[in-house]
């Protein structure tokens, strides 16, 4: 982890030398000398981090190597602080430049101040140089090696997993049978089965049960089990495989150690030439694994099989024609059964007074068998008293690092972190910044990583693409869980396992990476770099006043001290990230403009109404998120933010629709802008828009009559992939037929207004996957003309069907996954033919006031996972009385009905709705209707 900090310091120093030509020559030489010292120290860090991890595993966080690594990290932080403060002072001096006599006097004053600053930085750098020299000398004293390989935690907890008794194997019985079927039947060609899942999920246990199963033993002529791990080399794997296969006994260990790779390969191929063999490679970590063993195991058309277990889906993806089985966490009933067996003995009888606590503890375990067994075993030694169990639940994080019963669980989870390259460690540790079980928007996370400087520079790819690859890597390594995907199957929300979150919190505290500020944790180290304020903001800033904080985030804070915002911007000038989403903030102080290093500012879903003019001084700002704020107009100073990449600005009006924000003239200077929405666009704004050639996502409300200017403007935006065009109402004419050359790569399109027919150019959009239409005046039903679009995945329509019957015919919408149909006021019935929308996963319908019967043919949508009826509570309740209801909906996992009451939207499941008696329902629906009438009056 220190390596990331050192790399950041090296990059910062390099940037300073290039950019700051005014630096004193002697200072420049010292800066370059420090950079060289850090590069030498960096070469020791991989070895040092490995040894420090071993010290930590042995319970010695204060060992000599750990102390050395901490000193390196703190010096790197100190370098970053010194340089950031120097750059901040330089920015202040240039800001005060002016003209005339006053300007001249200011320049002279600034010049004298600059000399002081430069001599000050010279003194600081001399001190840093001396400290680094001492640290480098100590690296030799501690016998640290200059190496370049990943961290290795010297631990293998899998031996015990191989011998777990059958009574403790719960919830994987059907998986065992399924995988054995793949192994003992099918093709005569050699084939591969990969079992993928996070640490502690039971991959080794599963593979061990399969390996020892009599059906498998009878089928194969010979078997081998090789535990690979992180440290195993190609030669190690070949030797282990030869030793494992039955009958290969003629070579001693000494003889095999002398054999060349070619001889080992020949020996294996000769031995397996005429045999139906099975090999299990357990715990594979390296991406080059398949390349190392592919040619060692002969293809002999004897139905031979290779099986591997890994945490990293990316390793399995490199193997051609592999059968991948993603092992899932235990469902709650199976988890409770396993836990009860471990905690209460073979009979597994949980006392009623402990059941709720048991289930709360199980939620922490998140379906991981290793964690369930470990925690259950720990509790089996405690008295069955609620107080004791509650204490364990609240203290599970610290118990993970100190209780011997949880050692294996702790080490297996920690292993995933320790195997990461340094930049991914920082990305993973950032999940500790968020509350436990918090679903994080992936786009938000990527922007935060970029703002923090975690994303490596790439000449070929944008920062967003590289950050996306980092997230995909963490997901593939089973360290990050996908909570929700978008309509294209890409991760939309993610999180980490609760126990991994506990480990991350412990790591972030120890490394000084970040600190959680809440009622229980309120005393951070002065070296802390980031704070996450959760539940209470009282006295927080007072407790960190001596810190060089770079990031501040608020979660679940319902009240703010009056002085909080002013103190924050006055006392913490080096801040890079301010994340205030969903917080009770009502204003931004004028002093926010002094945060020269600010890269990321989110006021999403706050009550901020006005941005101060000083916002124009944030020259390093890359993300400004004003979604669902009360801001109606941006200040003209916004045009100064030349590094801005994301400008997210819309309000949600009383109707629930987006309302646009006014932008000033001159915003066309924001040449790096990638996302802009939603803004009002007259011809002057459109003229500015055409300058934004990097724009990828655009949402605008067009002033009536400016469509031709818009069409000309859009032609300039060649990188556009998402476009939303709105008029003030559905009745205004939207004339965009003249857009003869829309952006070639357009993937998402939304239109609102009045038009007779859809523009012809829509049907030429090769990559379009998402369409939303809120249009009046259409003479043709858009579904009839859109149904054949080959790549359409999502379709949203508002009141575009004027027939009484809505009919989806066979072969319509072959790839569609999401269909949302709002405000179809005249539709009385909906029919879905067999073969229509075969891939549909989500269907959202309503309000349809004239609907007379439940959609016919909905049972044909075999992939439907989510069905929702909006504002149709009474209709759906009585439709559910039809005996056909259960039959046609039983294949749909989630069926919901929404309704409004007192201005809020409520969700209820169809299952719950059907349990309400008619009398009680009528009483409730009267209450709902009265509430809605009073809210409209």
């Amino acid at each position: 982890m220190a390596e990331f900090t050192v790399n950041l310091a090296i990059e910062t120093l390099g940037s300073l030398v290039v950019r700051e030509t005014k630096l004193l020559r002697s200072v420049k030489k010292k800066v370059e000398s420090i950079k060289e010292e850090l590069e030498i120290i960096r070469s020791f860090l991989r070895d040092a981090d490995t040894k420090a991890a071993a010290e930590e595993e042995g319970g010695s966080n204060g060992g000599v190597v750990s102390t050395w690594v901490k000193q390196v990290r703190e010096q790197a932080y100190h370098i970053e602080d010194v340089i950031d403060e120097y750059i901040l002072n330089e920015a202040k001096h240039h800001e005060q430049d002016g003209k005339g006599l006053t300007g001249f006097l200011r320049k002279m004053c600034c010049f004298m101040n600059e000399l002081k600053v430069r001599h000050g930085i010279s003194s600081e750098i001399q001190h840093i140089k001396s400290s680094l020299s001492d640290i480098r000398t100590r690296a030799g004293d501690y016998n640290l090696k200059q190496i370049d390989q990943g961290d290795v935690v010297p631990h293998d907890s899998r031996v015990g997993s191989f011998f777990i008794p059958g009574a403790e194997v719960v919830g994987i019985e059907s998986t065992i049978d399924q995988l054995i079927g793949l192994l003992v039947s099918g093709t005569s060609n050699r084939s591969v089965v990969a079992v993928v899942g996070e640490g502690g999920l039971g991959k080794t246990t599963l593979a061990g049960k399969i390996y020892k199963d009599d059906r498998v033993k009878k089928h194969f002529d010979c078997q081998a089990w090789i535990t690979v791990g992180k440290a195993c080399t190609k030669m190690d794997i070949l030797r282990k495989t030869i030793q494992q296969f039955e009958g290969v006994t003629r070579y001693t260990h000494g003889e095999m150690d002398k054999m060349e790779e070619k001889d080992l390969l020949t020996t294996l191929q000769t031995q397996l030439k005429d045999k139906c063999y099975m090999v299990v490679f357990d715990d594979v970590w390296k991406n080059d694994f398949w390349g190392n063993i592919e040619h060692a195991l002969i293809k002999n058309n004897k139905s031979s099989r290779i099986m591997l277990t890994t945490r990293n889906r990316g390793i399995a993806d490199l193997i051609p024609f592999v059968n991948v089985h993603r092992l899932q966490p235990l469902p709650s009933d199976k988890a409770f059964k396993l836990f009860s067996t471990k905690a209460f003995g073979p009979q597994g009888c949980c006392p009623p007074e402990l059941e709720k606590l048991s289930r709360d503890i199980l939620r922490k375990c998140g379906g991981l068998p290793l964690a369930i067994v470990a925690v259950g075993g720990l509790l089996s030694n405690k008295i069955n008293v609620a107080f004791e169990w509650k204490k364990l639940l609240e203290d599970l994080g610290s118990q993970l690092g100190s209780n011997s019963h949880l050692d294996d669980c702790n080490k297996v989870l920690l292993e995933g972190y320790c195997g990461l390259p340094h930049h991914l460690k920082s990305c993973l540790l950032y999940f500790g910044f968020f509350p436990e079980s918090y679903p994080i928007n992936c786009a938000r996370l990527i922007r935060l990583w970029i703002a923090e400087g975690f994303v490596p520079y790439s000449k070929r790819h944008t920062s967003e693409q590289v950050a996306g690859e980092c997230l995909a890597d963490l997901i593939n390594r089973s360290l990050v869980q996908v909570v929700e995907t978008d309509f294209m199957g890409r991760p939309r929300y993610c999180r980490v396992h609760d126990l991994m979150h506990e480990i991350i919190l412990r790591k972030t505290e120890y490394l000084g990476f970040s600190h959680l500020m809440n009622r229980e944790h309120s005393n951070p180290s002065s070296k802390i770099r980031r704070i996450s304020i959760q539940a209470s903001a009282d006295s927080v800033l007072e407790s960190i006043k001596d810190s060089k904080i770079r990031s501040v985030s608020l979660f679940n804070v319902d009240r703010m001290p009056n002085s909080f915002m002013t103190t924050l911007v006055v006392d913490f000038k080096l801040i890079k990230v301010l994340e205030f989403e969903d917080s009770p903030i009502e204003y931004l102080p004028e002093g926010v403009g002094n945060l020269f290093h600010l890269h990321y500012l989110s006021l999403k879903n706050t009550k901020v109404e006005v941005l101060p003019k000083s916002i124009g001084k944030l020259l390093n700002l890359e993300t400004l998120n004003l979604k669902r704020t009360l801001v109606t107009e941006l200040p003209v100073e916004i045009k100064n933010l030349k590094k801005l990449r994301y400008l997210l600005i819309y309000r949600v009006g009383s109707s629930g629709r987006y309302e646009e924000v006014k932008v000033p003239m001159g915003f066309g200077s924001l040449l790096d802008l990638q996302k802009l929405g939603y803004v009002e666009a007259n011809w002057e704004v459109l003229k500015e828009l055409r300058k934004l050639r990097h724009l990828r996502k655009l949402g605008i409300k067009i002033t009536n009559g400016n469509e031709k200017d818009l069409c000309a403007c859009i032609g300039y935006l060649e990188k556009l992939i998402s476009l939303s065009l709105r008029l003030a109402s559905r009745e205004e004419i939207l004339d965009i037929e003249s857009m003869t050359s829309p952006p070639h790569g357009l993937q998402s399109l939304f239109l609102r207004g009045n038009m007779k027919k859809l523009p012809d150019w829509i049907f030429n959009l090769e990559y379009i996957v998402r369409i939303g239409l809120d249009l009046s005046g259409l003479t043709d039903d858009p579904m009839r003309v859109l149904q054949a679009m080959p790549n359409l995945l999502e379709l949203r329509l508002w009141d575009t069907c004027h027939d009484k019957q809505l009919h989806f015919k066979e072969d319509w919408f072959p790839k569609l996954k999401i269909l949302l149909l709002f405000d179809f006021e005249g539709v009385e019935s909906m029919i879905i033919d067999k073969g229509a929308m075969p891939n549909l996963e989500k269907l959202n319908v309503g309000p349809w006031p004239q609907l007379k019967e439940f959609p016919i043919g909905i049972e044909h949508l075999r992939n439907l996972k989510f069905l929702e009826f909006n504002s149709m509570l009474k209709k759906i309740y009585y439709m559910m009385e039809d005996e056909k209801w259960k039959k046609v909906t039983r294949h749909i996992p989630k069926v919901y009905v929404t309704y409004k009451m007192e201005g809020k939207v409520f969700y209820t499941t169809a299952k719950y709705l059907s349990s309400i008696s008619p009398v009680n329902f009528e009483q409730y629906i009267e209450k709902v209707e009265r509430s809605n009438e009073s809210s409209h009056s």
Side-chain angles (χ1 to χ4, degrees):
M1 182 55 215
E3 186 177 359
F4 166 76
T5 315
V6 168
N7 277 342
L8 190 62
I10 289 172
E11 290 169 11
T12 306
L13 287 166
S15 173
L16 182 70
V17 171
V18 171
R19 183 173 52 186
E20 297 297 322
T21 54
K22 296 178 184 177
L23 267 179
L24 300 175
R25 186 175 299 176
S26 60
V27 175
K28 268 195 173 184
K29 286 182 179 179
K30 289 174 185 174
V31 168
E32 288 167 350
S33 175
I34 286 177
K35 188 167 171 281
E36 290 168 6
E37 285 280 358
L38 283 175
E39 285 168 347
I40 294 169
I41 287 171
R42 179 173 59 180
S43 68
F44 292 103
L45 273 173
R46 296 285 177 92
D47 185 37
D49 273 340
T50 301
K51 291 179 179 178
E55 286 181 352
E56 184 182 350
E57 199 175 308
S60 174
N61 282 348
V64 290
V65 179
S66 298
T67 303
W68 183 85
V69 171
K70 183 180 179 183
Q71 289 171 349
V72 172
R73 186 169 59 245
E74 290 182 353
Q75 277 303 317
Y77 281 154
H78 185 43
I79 291 167
E80 187 187 3
D81 291 342
V82 168
I83 294 173
D84 281 355
E85 285 172 346
Y86 168 76
I87 292 171
L88 178 63
N89 281 320
E90 284 288 304
K92 283 181 182 176
H93 295 152
H94 290 304
E95 185 188 319
Q96 293 169 356
D97 288 350
K99 294 181 180 179
L101 178 61
T102 303
F104 174 76
L105 292 174
R106 281 181 180 171
K107 284 180 181 178
M108 289 302 297
C109 182
C110 287
F111 176 71
M112 298 302 294
N113 285 333
E114 282 181 18
L115 284 179
K116 290 179 184 177
V117 168
R118 287 176 190 144
H119 281 290
I121 194 176
S122 176
S123 173
E124 288 277 11
I125 283 174
Q126 180 59 46
H127 175 69
I128 291 168
K129 186 175 182 299
S130 175
S131 298
L132 286 177
S133 180
D134 292 342
I135 288 171
R136 181 162 65 90
T137 302
R138 285 196 292 276
D141 297 339
Y142 300 149
N143 296 317
L144 297 177
K145 299 174 184 176
Q146 290 182 309
I147 60 172
D148 189 27
Q149 59 190 18
D151 302 340
V152 178
V153 177
H155 167 70
D156 182 16
S157 63
R158 289 162 191 80
V159 176
S161 302
F162 193 83
F163 297 101
I164 286 179
E168 293 184 13
V169 178
V170 174
I172 59 172
E173 298 85 354
S174 61
T175 303
I176 289 173
D177 291 338
Q178 177 190 345
L179 294 183
I180 286 177
L182 284 174
L183 294 170
V184 303
S185 60
T187 178
S188 62
N189 295 327
R190 183 192 71 184
S191 64
V192 185
V193 175
V195 179
V196 180
E198 59 195 297
L201 207 49
K203 300 182 295 296
T204 301
T205 301
L206 172 68
K209 293 299 172 189
I210 291 170
Y211 184 81
K212 294 186 291 183
D213 192 279
D214 287 339
R215 290 169 288 177
V216 173
K217 287 184 174 181
K218 289 175 183 176
H219 182 79
F220 294 102
D221 298 328
C222 55
Q223 292 175 269
W225 178 285
I226 294 92
T227 300
V228 181
K230 294 179 185 174
C232 224
T233 65
K234 179 178 182 179
M235 299 293 281
D236 291 334
I237 293 172
L238 294 177
R239 292 186 189 106
K240 284 184 179 184
T241 308
I242 290 172
Q243 289 164 0
Q244 280 282 310
F245 273 121
E246 186 179 352
V248 182
T249 56
R250 63 181 183 271
Y251 298 108
T252 66
H253 286 288
E255 288 173 329
M256 285 186 45
D257 287 344
K258 295 176 184 177
M259 291 172 71
E260 299 288 337
E261 180 182 334
K262 179 183 173 185
D263 298 325
L264 294 171
L265 290 170
T266 302
T267 299
L268 259 177
Q269 295 208 349
T270 301
Q271 175 62 24
L272 301 177
K273 183 179 179 183
D274 299 315
K275 288 187 171 62
C276 173
Y277 63 85
M278 175 193 180
V279 194
V280 176
F281 294 102
D282 184 42
D283 192 35
V284 177
W285 286 81
K286 296 181 181 178
N287 285 329
D288 60 2
F289 166 77
W290 182 247
N292 288 340
I293 63 102
E294 179 182 10
H295 302 296
L297 301 169
I298 193 169
K299 296 180 180 179
N300 56 9
N301 291 320
K302 295 287 184 180
S303 301
S304 296
R305 301 289 183 257
I306 301 167
M307 188 175 184
L308 63 96
T309 72
T310 181
R311 303 184 189 198
N312 192 342
R313 171 64 194 250
I315 291 171
D317 289 341
L318 294 171
I319 304 172
F321 309 113
V322 63
N323 285 296
V324 178
H325 179 83
R326 186 96 200 191
L327 198 56
Q328 299 299 323
L330 286 181
S332 57
D333 57 334
K334 302 288 186 183
F336 191 75
K337 178 183 176 182
L338 178 59
F339 175 80
S340 297
T341 301
K342 291 301 295 182
F344 307 112
Q347 302 305 315
C349 186
C350 175
E353 67 273 15
L354 294 178
E355 184 165 344
K356 183 181 183 304
L357 275 169
S358 295
R359 295 197 181 276
D360 289 342
I361 290 168
L362 278 174
R363 269 191 287 276
K364 278 267 193 185
C365 295
L368 287 187
L370 178 67
I372 294 167
V373 168
V375 175
L378 175 60
L379 288 168
S380 69
N381 294 323
K382 292 185 178 292
I383 56 174
N384 291 343
V385 177
F387 171 78
E388 288 288 335
W389 288 50
K390 188 172 186 292
K391 186 178 176 184
L392 173 75
L393 175 62
E394 294 171 348
D395 201 30
L396 193 55
S398 61
Q399 292 277 340
L400 264 176
S402 60
N403 195 300
S404 58
H405 281 91
L406 304 179
D407 268 356
D408 276 351
C409 183
N410 180 55
K411 289 170 183 175
V412 165
L413 293 173
L414 191 59
E415 210 170 15
Y417 164 81
C418 289
L420 292 173
H422 64 86
H423 67 284
L424 286 185
K425 284 183 179 177
S426 301
C427 292
L428 182 63
L429 289 180
Y430 209 72
F431 281 86
F433 214 46
F434 298 86
E436 183 178 277
S437 301
Y438 188 90
I440 307 164
N441 181 284
C442 295
R444 174 187 181 187
L445 182 65
I446 281 170
R447 288 172 200 148
L448 283 165
W449 282 350
I450 293 170
E452 293 277 6
F454 296 165
V455 180
Y457 171 75
S458 170
K459 289 182 179 178
R460 294 184 300 146
H461 301 293
T462 65
S463 297
E464 291 77 14
Q465 289 171 325
V466 178
E469 289 170 3
C470 290
L471 180 58
D473 201 349
L474 289 173
I475 292 168
N476 279 338
R477 291 170 184 262
S478 303
L479 290 167
V480 171
Q481 301 171 338
V482 177
V483 176
E484 182 185 322
T485 57
D486 66 10
F487 64 98
M488 293 182 71
R490 299 169 301 197
R492 188 176 177 211
Y493 285 90
C494 63
R495 50 158 287 182
V496 291
H497 190 282
D498 284 355
L499 293 183
M500 178 57 78
H501 190 267
E502 295 283 4
I503 285 174
I504 286 172
L505 283 182
R506 213 167 64 238
K507 273 282 179 190
T508 56
E509 292 285 339
Y510 171 63
L511 297 170
F513 182 87
S514 64
H515 184 82
L516 166 65
M517 305 286 288
N518 60 19
R519 293 181 180 91
E520 286 76 37
H521 305 83
S522 56
N523 296 307
S525 157
S526 62
K527 302 291 184 183
I528 221 79
R529 309 299 278 183
R530 302 168 186 86
I531 57 167
S532 175
I533 303 171
Q534 299 178 18
S536 173
D538 293 337
S539 305
V540 166
L541 299 184
E542 178 65 24
S543 67
I544 60 166
K545 61 184 179 181
D546 296 325
S547 302
K548 305 288 186 181
I549 292 296
R550 293 306 198 278
S551 301
V552 178
S553 291
L554 275 64
F555 298 96
N556 304 317
V557 175
D558 54 13
R559 184 179 58 82
M560 301 282 293
N562 292 333
S563 61
F564 182 89
M565 292 300 295
T566 304
T567 304
L568 184 68
V569 300
V570 168
D571 291 353
F572 303 96
K573 296 287 177 54
L574 304 183
I575 284 178
K576 288 184 176 181
V577 170
L578 289 177
E579 174 58 276
F580 294 144
E581 183 171 329
D582 298 320
S583 65
I585 288 175
E586 298 181 354
Y587 76 102
L588 269 184
E590 189 69 29
V592 73
N594 295 325
L595 302 179
F596 180 76
H597 292 289
L598 194 65
H599 286 65
Y600 180 104
L601 174 60
S602 176
L603 301 171
K604 182 179 177 181
N605 204 26
T606 65
K607 295 181 180 179
V608 173
E609 295 184 31
V610 178
L611 293 183
K613 293 181 179 297
S614 68
I615 199 90
K617 292 157 62 177
L618 301 177
L619 302 184
N620 288 300
L621 197 65
E622 296 173 345
T623 293
L624 178 57
N625 190 343
L626 302 174
K627 283 184 179 180
R628 295 199 292 274
T629 63
L630 303 179
V631 175
T632 58
E633 187 171 354
L634 295 179
V636 68
E637 289 78 9
I638 206 83
K639 67 183 181 181
N640 298 329
L641 309 184
K642 303 295 175 62
K643 292 185 179 181
L644 204 60
R645 297 162 74 86
Y646 296 94
L647 183 53
L648 313 174
I649 41 174
Y650 66 77
R651 298 171 295 129
V652 178
S654 56
S655 65
R657 295 182 182 275
Y658 296 151
E659 292 185 0
E660 293 74 14
V661 173
K662 292 181 181 179
V663 292
M665 289 305 299
F667 80 94
S669 62
L670 309 179
L671 299 180
D672 284 344
L673 209 59
Q674 294 189 24
K675 187 170 182 178
L676 175 64
Y678 288 88
V679 298
E680 293 184 9
N682 56 26
W683 71 270
E684 292 178 327
V685 170
L686 292 173
K687 189 177 175 183
E688 296 284 332
L689 264 178
R690 68 172 61 191
K691 300 174 185 177
L692 307 181
R693 301 296 181 88
H694 291 288
L695 211 57
R696 291 171 57 80
K697 297 185 177 183
L698 173 64
I700 55 175
K701 182 177 82 173
I702 315 154
T703 304
N704 197 12
N706 284 299
E707 291 92 334
K708 290 184 179 174
D709 292 322
L710 168 74
C711 294
C713 166
I714 298 297
Y716 286 89
L717 308 179
E718 297 176 354
K719 295 183 179 181
L720 211 61
I721 62 170
S722 177
L723 176 62
S724 176
L725 306 178
R726 306 163 188 265
L727 291 176
S729 78
R730 285 167 51 96
E731 310 313 316
E732 294 183 22
I733 302 296
L734 180 60
D735 180 12
I736 52 173
E737 184 65 47
S738 62
M739 193 188 300
T740 54
S741 57
H744 175 68
L746 204 63
Q747 298 175 15
S748 179
L749 177 67
F750 177 84
L751 303 174
R752 181 173 189 248
N754 182 313
M755 60 171 57
K756 290 184 178 180
K757 63 185 286 288
L758 294 176
D760 292 336
W761 53 261
I762 287 182
F763 304 99
N764 298 323
L765 294 172
E766 185 179 351
Y767 301 105
I768 197 80
V769 292
R770 186 183 197 185
I771 291 178
L773 303 175
D774 187 1
L775 300 171
S776 64
L778 288 173
T779 54
D780 285 332
D781 180 355
M783 274 182 284
R784 290 196 184 98
V785 294
L786 295 174
Q787 55 84 17
M789 295 191 77
N791 298 313
L792 198 61
L793 298 177
E794 180 176 330
L795 179 62
R796 300 179 181 223
L797 300 174
W798 281 261
D799 191 18
T800 54
C801 179
H802 309 298
D803 297 330
K804 291 184 178 180
Q805 187 183 85
L806 182 60
H807 191 177
F808 292 89
K809 299 180 181 179
E810 183 181 2
D811 297 327
W812 277 24
F813 299 107
K815 291 187 179 179
L816 198 69
K817 289 186 176 182
I818 299 173
L819 178 63
L820 298 95
L821 305 171
F822 304 109
D823 301 322
F824 281 25
E825 295 186 359
V827 172
E828 296 179 0
S829 65
M830 176 177 176
I831 300 174
I832 303 166
D833 289 348
K834 190 173 183 178
M837 304 182 287
N839 292 298
L840 197 70
E841 296 178 0
K842 179 178 180 179
L843 175 60
N844 196 315
V845 171
W848 292 10
Q850 303 303 319
L851 188 67
K852 293 182 177 178
E853 58 184 339
F854 188 74
I856 299 168
I858 206 162
E859 67 272 14
H860 297 146
L861 304 177
R862 302 313 299 176
N863 288 306
L864 196 63
K865 298 180 177 68
F866 187 97
L867 173 61
E868 182 178 311
F869 296 94
N870 295 315
S871 301
M872 298 168 67
L873 188 63
K874 195 168 184 177
K875 282 184 177 293
I876 298 303
Y877 178 80
Y878 288 109
M879 283 181 188
M880 289 168 60
E881 292 182 345
D882 190 322
E883 58 185 20
K884 294 179 183 177
W885 170 273
K886 287 185 180 179
K887 182 179 178 182
V888 299
T889 62
R890 63 188 175 193
H891 69 291
I892 309 172
K894 297 178 180 178
V895 182
Y896 289 95
V897 182
T898 72
Y899 59 97
K900 285 186 178 181
M901 187 166 69
E902 297 176 353
K904 296 179 180 178
V905 177
F906 292 85
Y907 284 77
T908 182
T909 64
K911 184 178 179 181
Y912 174 74
L913 196 60
S914 65
S915 70
I916 303 174
S917 71
V919 174
N920 289 338
F921 178 76
E922 284 297 333
Q923 290 174 349
Y924 188 70
I925 204 73
E926 283 181 23
K927 179 181 176 183
V928 171
E929 290 171 352
R930 280 198 309 270
S931 162
N932 291 335
E933 285 171 7
S934 63
S935 66
H936 289 305
S937 60

